[in-house]
Amino acid sequence: MQTQPGQTPPGVRRPQRADARRNFDALIAAARDAFAERGSGASLEEIARRAGVGIGTLYRNFPTRQDLFDAVYTDEIEALCRAAGDVADLPPWDALAAWLRRFVGYLATKRAIIEEINRDSAMIRGARESMYRAADALLTRAQEAGLARTDVSSDDLLRMISGLTAGGYVDDAQRERVLTVALDGIRSR
């Protein structure tokens, strides 16, 4: 059975009790950070330690390493989609730019685990579709306001940002400058 965004991967059950839910969420956050820092080979013991739980709790929540990769990826996409809603009240251009900055953060996690996830699974395809719907809504709103070029699609935009963030930067300020230059290229003339 495959999952869609908003559902947990096969083999993983999102806990109902508040304390178990906190452990589950702590494990996802710790795994995301560990994978971003150390790549997909990050130690499960380290992830459990960072989350403040024992290794048994990790395995109870994520029976396989693959389940953990899938859950982290799904959680990142869900957060990205929620972020689109969070910025929706901003002016159209500000909303798009703020969401794209959040997208940059998502890319760091994705790059760390991309080789470990099945990109052709229904779960991943569904997550990708949700992400593109979020981007479409924000870009269309900016285009309709006359603030973004109409010859650019959300696919173009996300690929551009993905490419820009693939390289290393001297520091966060340099990455922000490059992103700002790229976004200026998307603005309407």
Side-chain angles (χ1 to χ4, degrees), residues 9 13 16 24 38 47-48 54 59-61 66 79 90 128:
R13 290 193 193 115
Q16 300 301 312
F24 183 92
R38 302 196 191 288
I47 292 168
Y59 281 115
R60 221 176 0 270
N61 283 283
Q66 187 65 51
L90 295 174
R128 190 177 313 124

Side-chain angles (χ1 to χ4, degrees), residues 67-143:
D67 290 331
L68 184 57
F69 288 132
D70 291 349
V72 167
Y73 184 82
T74 300
D75 186 71
E76 279 293 290
I77 292 289
E78 289 172 356
L80 192 58
C81 291
R82 279 191 309 275
D86 293 345
V87 300
D89 290 337
L90 295 174
W93 180 258
D94 295 343
L96 178 62
W99 187 81
L100 288 170
R101 284 181 172 85
R102 173 59 183 88
F103 180 72
V104 168
Y106 150 78
L107 290 171
T109 299
K110 179 185 174 195
R111 282 195 183 91
I113 65 172
I114 192 66
E115 297 305 318
E116 304 299 332
I117 57 177
N118 177 358
R119 290 173 263 178
D120 294 324
S121 76
M123 180 187 72
I124 300 304
R125 284 193 314 272
R128 190 177 313 124
E129 289 168 11
S130 294
M131 178 182 63
Y132 272 86
R133 277 193 304 275
D136 283 339
L138 294 168
L139 178 59
T140 298
R141 188 170 160 240
Q143 289 169 328

Side-chain angles (χ1 to χ4, degrees), residues 33-43 46 49-50 112:
D33 293 347
F35 293 148
E37 290 171 20
R38 302 196 191 288
S40 62
S43 154
E46 176 187 353
R49 182 186 50 73
R50 284 180 180 215

